[in-house]
Amino acid sequence: MCGIVGYIGYNQATPVLLNGLARLEYRGYDSAGIAIFNDDKIKVAKSEGKLANLKNKIENSDVSGFVGIGHTRWATHGEPNERNCHPHTSENGKFVVVHNGIIENYDVIKRQLREKGVKFTSDTDTEVVPQLLAYYYDGDLLKTVSKVVNELAGSYALGIICEDYPDKIIAARKSSPLIVAKGEGENFIASDISAILDYTKTYITLDDGDIAELKADSITLYDKELNEKETDFIVTDLDVSAVMKNGYDHFMLKEMNEQPEKLRGLYNDYVKDNKVVVPELDKIADVLDNCEKIYAVACGSAYHTSIAGKYVIEKLCRVNVETDIASEFRYRDPILNERTPVIIISQSGETADSIAALRMAKEQGAPVIGIVNVVGSTIYRESDCVLYTKAGPEIAVATTKGYATQLMMFYLFALYFAQSKGTVSEEEIAKYCSELEMLPAKIERLLSDTKTIEAFSEKYKGANNFFFIGRNTDYAAAMEASLKVKEISYINSDAYASGELKHGTIALIDKGTPVISFCANKKLFDKAWSNAEEVVARGADVVCVVSEKDEDKIQQGYEKIVLEDVIDEFSTMLEVVAMQIFAYYIAKNNGCDIDKPKNLAKSVTVE
Ligand code: AGP
């Protein structure tokens, strides 16, 4: 995904755009650019690579002006170089556009325009937008934008400026997030509110098909037929500190340390007198009463929470849970109906594959429960029931508090569902609630003393391959551990069900191969231990992640990360936090860009 920001007002636009892009860099950072109205001409500055390169480039140039748009890119079509960097300009220089999303019919449009003599300068899908605007332009900017966006297939969040209208910015949205925000004598567009929290907290999220016209002192909203719409602004309760590092070296470390507080918040919201109370789920009581099977569908780390959640729901509620990655789920023609609710898990609420899975589920009559962290996001708005994870903005591309709050929401869902089905006694529910209540403090203590784990990170920072192995809830931890290491330290790794290793993959174990064996599920310890010994017998260097209650079972010579004891059902949480620390310090020791790893973006809003 990419980041878009726009400003129109009485202040210099460039500083506002650069500040906004800095807050949006987590959305993509292959290249960046801005376009500013400067003496009624539009000046464009762009550069490959991180935003700092753009800042250096414009330091000594005149990009003054009061109206502008900016973009930070995660490349989809066209290499991440200056030629393909946004903003893109029509051949006649009249239209300048920034875009997030994919114009799926760009090749048809590009070919048609080329046949009419239009010359393109980039390999991007986006460039067809300014070129088509110029082609249709009859002097009426709004009508031209409406005509063009109605020809576009795919997804777009657009910021548009036109040389003939130096006092306007036009914004348009379909499937890619875009907000318009109101200041005093100044107005903004942005991919999300975090970009402009320094200036205003009053905003509206555009709906699909919306077109907005911004002047310095007004915002007018239209639907795609250009019928004027009400502008129901909302005020965010986010504070700008939520999008700043506040003294931490990285957003990832800050967000890891926010986990206890965020989990406490969810516990306090949903556990009352040792019972789980979830009004959002009360509203779909009939769905849960008639539920024959649950699907849990997501991508990446969000998918990993569904693996851990599956074990808990099946054990406590005695209902089948089928998990799948969204990009597979949407093409396998699953058997869905009103008795098979689908849980879609997404921190950003804008992941394209997860949105597509949600829409397919709804088309087939399956109720959708969204576990989401962004209010007003597409998945938030299109779910039949939303379990809002309240993690606050997550800036680091590698999710931590996003993951932890999603997993906590699964635990709460399982307890609520078990309560309503009567599959777990009140005493048992009270015990589980007490375990949930203690989790945040255990995470806090783990995060407050990371020396042991840091030592392992130092020892293994030069590894060129890791195996993470475990069974059941330990396997769920292994999956998330493996992704954390891969995505921030670029070290290849594999998560394996430890019982499966001997069916082929153990052939890859050599002397010194680092294997992290998750054994915190006490009921499965013996099995986990025997799998650990199988790889040790072939020369592996094994580190066991184990509950303090089983620490003594770890024989001499084996390295171990000892965790405070947690009930087996919830043991994944602490194991994953330990691995967040492990991955963080490997990446830090290796000088990796922890918050903005190469090739990644915070939310993948393209398929
Ligand atoms: C995890 O660290 C990654 N950032 C990635 O796997 C992420 O979990 C995945 O892209 C899903 O994103 P979402 O939760 O916003 O849908």
Side-chain angles (χ1 to χ4, degrees), residues 11 40 92 141 179 362 374 378 557:
N11 276 318
D40 289 349
N92 63 7
L141 176 57
I179 66 167
K362 292 189 76 167
V374 176
T378 303

Side-chain angles (χ1 to χ4, degrees), residues 299-302 345-351 354 379 397-399 406 480 483-484 487 601-604:
C299 300
S301 294
I345 312 102
S346 177
Q347 187 284 130
S348 65
E350 296 298 349
T351 298
S354 303
I379 293 173
V397 167
T399 184
Q406 288 165 356
E480 179 58 10
L483 180 58
K484 284 282 123 355
E487 66 177 334
K602 182 60 183 170
S603 167
V604 185

